Amino acid sequence: MTAPKRAEPGGELLLEVADIVVGYGRIEALHGISLHVAEGELVTLLGANGAGKTTTMRALSGLLPLTSGRIMFEGSDISRVPAHRRVLAGLVQAPEGRGVFPGMTVRENLDMGCYARPFRNKADYAAAVERVFELFPRLREREKQAGGTLSGGEQQMVAIGRALMARPRLLLLDEPSMGLAPMVIQQIFRIIAEINATGTTVLLVEQNARQALARSDRGYILETGAVTESGPGRELLDDPAVQAAYLGVG
Ligand SMILES: Nc1ncnc2c1ncn2[C@@H]1O[C@H](COP(=O)(O)OP(=O)(O)OP(=O)(O)O)[C@@H](O)[C@H]1O
Ligand SMILES: [Mg+2]
């Protein structure tokens, strides 16, 4: 069942990032980034290798401290809230590189997603597992298979499924298409769009610019730690500068 989107672009702000500076030791990686995500949106962050995409995601999920700036989530300042409490609040990241536990089965990997945010009752847990298996029928087939023996695409499905088990209000996805074959990438993008269409707001980091922008409400372009461009996904797709730099056109 596909529910309508809860909010159209321009709806209530879920995430508001104001001028964040983040560094590694004395090296500044983000030089004051501002962006926002409204409830219901699918927003993509694009940028070349080393632009600061993962750094941004890790700062949002609380794995990297801010040097300065502010992160607001649902109207509260979470700039200094520790990572596990951000998960409880509904800010959930599927990490770059998937992080599937190789010795655990698919089901056990999914269970790790709700470890930090346990379900109140078995029925809710069962419904959440069922939703993941409906989105990823392949995972149902492989429920008892060890994570380490899954294909790259299947591991990505586990990583997204595990994040969904924490019931995100905002799902952060860092390069879900990395290293996957074109057919599998298509499938992952379709599922991300479906997750968004059924009510989960998504902030997506991608290098697959064309596919990501085509499905996004809005996008931001990140260059060496700063936002250089932003706008509706379709407008960025038609922007000659974006085409030349990220779409292999011109
Ligand atoms: N642990 C670290 N220590 C020091 N510098 C780091 C660390 N992690 C990242 N950096 C630096 O911060 C900058 C941004 O890196 P980041 O990983 O955020 O880029 P990215 O946009 O995610 O790139 P990619 O597309 O390759 O994943 C880079 O210059 C990188 O070398
Ligand atoms: Mg990265």
Side-chain angles (χ1 to χ4, degrees), residues 44-54 96 173-179 185 189 204-213 220-222 237 242-243 245-248:
T44 293
L45 202 55
L46 285 179
N49 292 120
K53 305 181 298 296
T54 297
E96 187 181 35
L173 297 173
D174 192 349
E175 295 210 44
S177 74
M178 189 165 52
I185 292 176
F189 273 108
L204 173 68
V205 158
E206 259 306 324
Q207 303 239 21
N208 255 296
R210 193 180 305 277
Q211 298 208 53
L213 288 179
Y220 291 88
I221 311 277
L222 205 57
L237 268 179
V242 174
Q243 289 179 348
Y246 300 100
L247 299 168

Side-chain angles (χ1 to χ4, degrees), residues 23-217:
Y24 297 98
R26 269 179 293 171
I27 300 169
E28 194 176 288
L30 303 183
H31 314 298
I33 286 187
S34 298
L35 57 86
H36 65 271
V37 181
E39 176 136 30
E41 281 192 311
L42 170 52
V43 175
T44 293
L45 202 55
L46 285 179
N49 292 120
K53 305 181 298 296
T54 297
T55 304
T56 303
M57 295 300 241
R58 290 171 60 84
L60 294 180
S61 52
L63 300 174
L64 286 172
L66 303 184
T67 305
S68 61
R70 200 175 64 165
I71 301 170
M72 303 286 289
F73 186 64
E74 292 198 285
S76 301
D77 188 341
I78 59 159
S79 306
R80 279 172 192 79
V81 170
H84 69 278
R85 295 223 352 248
R86 297 190 197 188
V87 174
L88 285 175
L91 187 54
V92 182
Q93 177 172 8
E96 187 181 35
R98 294 156 200 156
V100 169
F101 300 103
M104 289 184 174
T105 66
V106 165
R107 180 61 169 259
E108 288 163 348
N109 266 282
L110 294 179
D111 287 346
M112 293 304 285
C114 52
Y115 191 70
R117 194 182 178 198
F119 285 90
R120 291 231 180 88
N121 59 61
K122 281 186 178 164
D124 289 350
Y125 165 75
V129 173
E130 186 55 30
R131 184 188 179 208
V132 171
F133 284 161
E134 273 173 16
L135 284 167
F136 302 106
R138 181 75 68 90
L139 296 186
R140 191 197 301 275
E141 292 165 18
R142 310 209 162 223
E143 189 178 344
K144 297 192 174 68
Q145 188 171 328
T149 64
L150 297 170
S151 73
E154 289 161 355
Q155 291 194 18
Q156 187 56 60
M157 294 174 192
V158 170
I160 296 173
R162 189 178 52 197
L164 290 176
M165 291 299 288
R167 291 87 84 203
R169 300 217 52 209
L170 175 60
L171 176 61
L172 306 174
L173 297 173
D174 192 349
E175 295 210 44
S177 74
M178 189 165 52
L180 303 181
M183 287 269 287
V184 183
I185 292 176
Q186 290 274 8
Q187 192 186 358
I188 295 282
F189 273 108
R190 265 201 308 276
I191 290 167
I192 292 168
E194 189 179 338
I195 289 169
N196 177 245
T198 49
T200 306
T201 308
V202 179
L203 179 60
L204 173 68
V205 158
E206 259 306 324
Q207 303 239 21
N208 255 296
R210 193 180 305 277
Q211 298 208 53
L213 288 179
R215 293 182 182 276
S216 294
D217 294 307

